[in-house]
Amino acid sequence: MITSIRIGFIVVCLLVVTAVLLPFQLIGLAFDLKMRRYVPRLWHRTACFLLGIRIHVHGHLQHRRPLMLASNHVSWKDILVLGAIADVVFIAKSEVAKWPIFGTLAKLQKTIFVVREEKRRTGDQINEIAARMTAGEIVVLFPEGTTSDGNRLLEVKSSLFGAAAAAVPHTPHGVVYVQPVSIAYTRVHGMAMGRFHRPLAAWPGDIELMPHLMGVLKEGAIDVDVAFGETVDFRTGDNRKHLSQTITARLRRMLIRHLRQREYDAD
């Protein structure tokens, strides 16, 4: 009974907040106003608070622009977490646009949707990512290309790092900053999260969305550690694959360190 009341309270509060913020976001999107970038952060912060997601930030977001964040991908909750920390725009596969609820939210945040199967469109998609970065937006890339179980970093796909190379010629100083960001779900109700509770944090994709969402709503009180690592300065002539390898190494190191509950100090 208490759980049902709690879930109902969360849903009602999210609907109210959405109704209040939605007109401002629609106006921002219609006229391409800067407020379309920060209105979603208010929504994400509220959603994290209501869901009981407690965010612990380590290190600092790079202040220089243009900026791409490269993060490991555990769950749809990653969107809420990163969106609550900074005014970001995400890169997502085109299928996300058709998802109930999350697809609509993604469109409202002006997510960049990519069609991986159509290689002929890769150039246009990379150019859009580059244009958004050069316009001052912080673009988030999940280079694994899918969600994981949260215990490790999957193989990183380097292709979309090409957006950094595409953006370089259009930047004032001929450089794009790429910063690794690790997301580690570490505790539930204040207790260390072992493999038994890992499905609560992770959403590998073979689990149906609604049962997983209900599990999160019922449980609540999840702690997540977000670590910002050392930024890579990517310049004209630099190798995209080398960039991918460097980011991967730093990302894996940060993720493992937090999953083992060791403090991370940004370089």
Side-chain angles (χ1 to χ4, degrees):
M1 180 65 179
I2 295 177
T3 301
S4 299
I5 293 174
R6 178 180 176 275
I7 293 175
F9 175 77
I10 292 173
V11 172
V12 170
C13 287
L14 280 176
L15 289 175
V16 171
V17 172
T18 302
V20 172
L21 296 179
L22 183 58
F24 295 98
Q25 185 65 3
L26 291 176
I27 292 172
L29 289 170
F31 298 97
D32 198 25
L33 303 177
K34 285 190 176 181
M35 71 175 180
R36 71 167 174 78
R37 301 182 188 179
Y38 60 77
V39 168
R41 179 149 53 115
L42 299 176
W43 191 91
H44 289 308
R45 285 184 174 180
T46 302
C48 285
F49 174 77
L50 292 171
L51 291 173
I53 301 174
R54 297 176 293 207
I55 305 171
H56 308 275
V57 179
H58 307 265
H60 302 281
L61 177 69
Q62 174 62 246
H63 67 276
R64 295 174 294 178
R65 301 290 183 273
L67 176 63
M68 171 182 282
L69 300 180
S71 173
N72 63 300
H73 198 13
V74 183
S75 165
W76 52 267
K77 293 183 287 297
D78 302 342
I79 307 296
L80 301 182
V81 170
L82 292 177
I85 295 174
D87 301 329
V88 296
V89 59
F90 296 92
I91 301 172
K93 57 185 179 181
S94 58
E95 293 91 330
V96 174
K98 301 177 183 178
W99 288 0
I101 303 176
F102 291 104
T104 300
L105 293 174
K107 292 175 184 176
L108 287 172
Q109 196 167 350
K110 207 171 181 181
T111 294
I112 303 171
F113 297 107
V114 296
V115 184
R116 297 171 185 167
E117 295 77 13
E118 299 182 23
K119 294 186 179 298
R120 60 186 177 82
R121 294 184 56 184
T122 300
D124 292 337
Q125 292 169 165
I126 288 178
N127 289 336
E128 181 184 357
I129 297 170
R132 300 284 285 276
M133 282 195 295
T134 54
E137 296 187 60
I138 303 173
V139 174
V140 177
L141 171 68
F142 295 117
E144 293 167 290
T146 185
T147 52
S148 71
D149 61 6
N151 293 312
R152 66 192 188 283
L153 184 69
L154 302 179
E155 180 182 357
V156 167
K157 298 174 175 60
S158 63
S159 59
L160 284 180
F161 278 110
V168 168
H170 305 286
T171 62
H173 305 291
V175 59
V176 168
Y177 304 101
V178 184
Q179 185 174 27
V181 183
S182 71
I183 302 176
Y185 295 88
T186 54
R187 292 175 293 280
V188 56
H189 292 292
M191 303 295 289
M193 183 182 293
R195 290 183 178 272
F196 177 78
H197 286 104
R198 189 62 61 186
L200 180 66
W203 185 49
D206 56 351
I207 301 174
E208 292 186 11
L209 176 59
M210 291 311 296
H212 173 72
L213 180 58
M214 290 302 295
V216 174
L217 289 172
K218 291 177 181 178
E219 196 69 38
I222 298 174
D223 287 81
V224 56
D225 288 271
V226 180
F228 291 94
E230 181 184 3
T231 303
V232 177
D233 298 356
F234 189 80
R235 304 178 185 276
T236 301
D238 288 350
N239 188 285
R240 171 172 53 83
K241 290 188 177 180
H242 289 168
L243 169 66
S244 175
Q245 291 169 358
T246 301
I247 292 295
T248 298
R250 295 178 182 178
L251 190 53
R252 180 174 286 113
R253 176 175 59 86
M254 292 190 296
L255 180 61
I256 292 175
R257 185 171 295 179
H258 275 285
L259 288 175
R260 292 177 179 175
Q261 294 294 289
R262 296 176 183 176
E263 187 57 42
Y264 169 72
D265 296 317
D267 296 333

